[in-house]
Amino acid sequence: MSIHELQQVLHDHADDVVDTALAGRAAAARREAVGIKWRRRAVGTLVVAVVAPVLGAALLGGGPFDRTGTIDPVDRGHSADLDVLSSFAGRELLDSEVVTGTNELVLEVPAGEHTELHAACWGVGPKYTLHVTLDGEGPGDGYCETNRPEVSQLAYGLTEAESGVDHTLRLWITPNYPDLPDVPAGVFLMAAAYRSPDVEASVTGQEVYALERVDGEDYELAAYDESRPGARTLRSTFTATDLAQVEIFSNASLPHPEDRVTVLLNGIRQSDFWLGPRSFDHLAARYKGPHTVVLRIRGDVPPDAVLGVVWRTIKR
Amino acid sequence: MGGVSDVTDFDEFVAARSTALLRTAYLLTRDHGRAEDLLQTALAKGWLAWSRIESDPESYVRKIMVNTYSTWWRRRWNDERPTEQLPDQGYADADTTIRGDLWTALGNLPRGQRAVVVLRFFEDLTEAETARLLGCSVGTVKSQAARALARLRIDEALMDEPLGREGR
């Protein structure tokens, strides 16, 4: 196989991609930028620098993106005598480990209860990248923190079926710049398994819990709406008496590849996403009073397509 | 940031380059929805830094996009679906079957190697340009590209023409 064939494949798949949301793209980006600034102020912590050469520098670190390989910690480190949050937002701690003096931590998670897994790295700041895999795949990567996060940086909610088998959660760090030690002084790695709360509701077939923690605050389930199957539009209105958050859901067993869902909050287009079994992260409804979310499917509407909106208010 | 001319310049930049950036995002994520999310996030961060980057916004936004992709994670992952389930074009004959296999193999590359492949062989960046964008050495780009091509079972000896503006 040749390089030319590789290039052909890349172009075969990419050249048909067109930004069909171009008309509102710049305005939506500016709105999202406002949200980024707002979140920075709200959480009062340093947001990671977006241009830090994490990827490239991480490549220097001996295959940090290799999901299956193992690394040889310079030092196995030792358990850190630190408490892990025993509960938050309805989650109850099942097992945890915090280590220091090492660049890797593996937590074996036995089959059992409906589980949510959490990972964190702190003490060294964004000069290091935390990588996390579950059974050798995803969930992802993030910068290490300088200060200990309240709960974690990465979380992965196991489905009922996934909770029925053993899992291995693996964390490791890589330096983002040359000449940094593999095992920096002061680094802490934490892995934790929490029992998920009872499912409070099912929206578009996806689990919804009574509480979610967003930027350090717990938000309570206040209301939710779901469209009837096959409906093109869902309009959901909620009167906020305090800070509120919105989660967006959709589902369809066989969505057409061109089917998209447009999200409007208070008449302002927020984003588009592809119809399917997805949920969106939280949108903030930042003032008291009525808020309206409209979800609209563009393209063909599969007969089993459903849309959902979950409203949460801050728990005082 | 935020003046009328800034808004105009930003809008013109997005109008001109959005689709090209989206194509790169799609090759990185292999998911139309996540590609749009990635582009939107990168453009938003680009707008925040617009006063500093307007002389060469595309490089900056592309850099944000690649770095954001490498560090992206979701607060809740249990609704995530493998990208392989997304509809894809069918392949009918032997040649296109090979291409389908290659596309699948690309999806199995570690994220760093996939980023190098996309930048080098789709964006046609030189090794030096790729290294600058990724913030690593040229040697690292070379080694990552070599590993990726080996995993894709591509014979560099079958290269049809020099790659990039500096060749290899």
Side-chain angles (χ1 to χ4, degrees):
Chain A
M1 209 171 295
S2 70
I3 294 282
H4 178 73
E5 284 174 300
L6 170 62
Q7 291 173 314
Q8 192 66 49
V9 167
L10 293 170
H11 281 282
D12 283 349
H13 285 270
D15 288 353
D16 289 339
V17 174
V18 175
D19 189 1
T20 53
L22 182 59
R25 175 71 65 202
R30 289 197 299 273
R31 283 197 299 275
E32 184 166 332
V34 172
I36 291 171
K37 289 167 66 180
W38 182 84
R39 284 195 296 275
R40 285 176 177 170
R41 286 198 301 271
V43 299
T45 58
L46 183 67
V47 175
V48 292
V50 294
V51 295
V54 166
L55 171 61
L59 295 175
L60 298 170
F65 295 96
D66 185 341
R67 299 297 185 199
T68 56
T70 58
I71 58 175
D72 294 321
V74 176
D75 187 329
R76 282 288 167 193
H78 57 273
S79 292
D81 186 20
L82 291 174
D83 289 334
V84 172
L85 208 57
S86 60
S87 64
F88 75 96
R91 282 80 168 160
E92 298 291 334
L93 184 65
L94 295 171
D95 192 13
S96 67
E97 187 162 2
V98 184
V99 294
T100 186
T102 181
N103 53 353
E104 184 177 32
L105 169 60
V106 175
L107 182 70
E108 300 294 342
V109 183
E113 304 183 66
H114 202 179
T115 305
E116 196 171 272
L117 305 174
H118 288 258
C121 164
W122 70 90
V124 291
K127 290 181 293 192
Y128 285 80
T129 296
L130 169 66
H131 310 270
V132 183
T133 60
L134 180 67
D135 304 327
E137 312 233 335
D141 314 282
Y143 290 99
C144 288
E145 301 276 359
T146 302
N147 300 315
R148 183 180 184 179
E150 184 197 9
V151 181
S152 65
Q153 291 154 273
L154 308 177
Y156 186 103
L158 299 177
T159 63
E160 289 283 359
E162 287 175 321
S163 293
V165 296
D166 296 343
H167 292 287
T168 300
L169 186 69
R170 177 174 167 245
L171 290 63
W172 74 103
I173 59 168
T174 52
N176 296 328
Y177 302 94
D179 305 325
L180 289 175
D182 289 338
V183 182
V187 67
F188 289 88
L189 298 176
M190 185 215 74
Y194 286 87
R195 181 192 302 118
S196 301
D198 292 338
V199 176
E200 192 75 9
S202 175
V203 174
T204 71
Q206 297 169 78
E207 295 170 356
V208 174
Y209 302 129
L211 288 175
E212 288 291 348
R213 186 157 292 187
V214 183
D215 293 336
E217 303 280 2
D218 285 350
Y219 284 81
E220 297 177 300
L221 177 62
Y224 58 92
D225 282 316
E226 190 176 76
S227 65
R228 60 178 174 75
R232 180 175 295 279
T233 301
L234 172 65
R235 173 184 294 270
S236 178
T237 297
F238 177 74
T239 300
T241 55
D242 205 333
L243 282 175
Q245 296 277 343
V246 193
E247 295 168 58
I248 308 299
F249 294 76
S250 80
N251 210 340
S253 57
L254 289 171
H256 186 276
E258 298 303 315
D259 287 344
R260 298 158 63 85
V261 181
T262 297
V263 181
L264 294 98
L265 174 61
N266 299 326
I268 298 173
R269 187 171 171 175
Q270 302 291 316
S271 58
D272 286 8
F273 64 96
W274 295 86
L275 178 65
R278 299 172 183 277
S279 69
F280 244 55
D281 271 347
H282 306 79
L283 302 171
R286 295 169 195 145
Y287 58 83
K288 296 177 183 178
H291 295 270
T292 299
V293 165
V294 175
L295 307 181
R296 184 177 296 122
I297 298 174
R298 293 194 283 131
D300 296 334
V301 181
D304 67 347
V306 282
L307 303 169
V309 173
V310 169
W311 296 93
R312 295 183 181 277
T313 51
I314 194 165
K315 183 180 180 184
R316 298 293 186 183
Chain B
M1 183 196 78
V4 174
S5 68
D6 282 347
V7 171
T8 303
D9 291 347
F10 180 73
D11 286 7
E12 287 176 353
F13 163 70
V14 172
R17 301 306 303 157
S18 178
T19 288
L21 291 164
L22 185 63
R23 288 173 179 168
T24 301
Y26 176 69
L27 290 177
L28 292 172
T29 62
R30 297 162 57 85
D31 178 301
H32 289 282
R34 298 195 80 196
E36 294 220 357
D37 290 348
L38 184 58
L39 172 63
Q40 187 85 354
T41 298
L43 288 173
K45 291 174 177 175
W47 170 242
L48 286 173
W50 188 252
S51 60
R52 290 184 285 113
I53 68 168
E54 57 185 334
S55 61
D56 184 16
E58 183 161 356
S59 297
Y60 184 88
V61 170
R62 201 176 292 279
K63 185 170 187 171
I64 294 172
M65 206 162 67
V66 174
N67 285 323
T68 300
Y69 156 73
S70 74
T71 59
W72 213 354
W73 54 275
R74 294 169 65 104
R75 179 163 49 243
R76 295 181 64 201
W77 204 269
N78 51 358
D79 55 356
E80 192 73 359
R81 290 300 177 100
T83 56
E84 284 73 15
Q85 290 184 4
L86 286 174
D88 210 335
Q89 294 181 355
Y91 290 92
D93 54 35
D95 182 46
T96 51
T97 299
I98 291 171
R99 290 183 185 179
D101 292 344
L102 190 52
W103 177 244
T104 301
L106 276 164
N108 292 330
L109 287 180
R111 280 199 254 185
Q113 290 180 17
R114 198 191 309 169
V116 169
V117 166
V118 169
L119 295 174
R120 287 283 289 128
F121 306 127
F122 178 74
E123 295 289 345
D124 204 28
L125 299 186
T126 65
E127 288 167 342
E129 289 167 338
T130 302
R132 268 198 300 277
L133 195 144
L134 295 176
C136 65
S137 69
V138 170
T140 300
V141 169
K142 285 181 178 177
S143 65
Q144 289 294 311
R147 287 182 201 172
L149 296 181
R151 290 179 73 143
L152 297 172
R153 294 182 181 160
I154 287 173
D155 187 346
E156 294 179 69
L158 297 178
M159 190 170 63
D160 301 300
E161 55 194 20
L163 291 169
R165 289 180 287 286
E166 68 177 16
R168 297 184 64 79

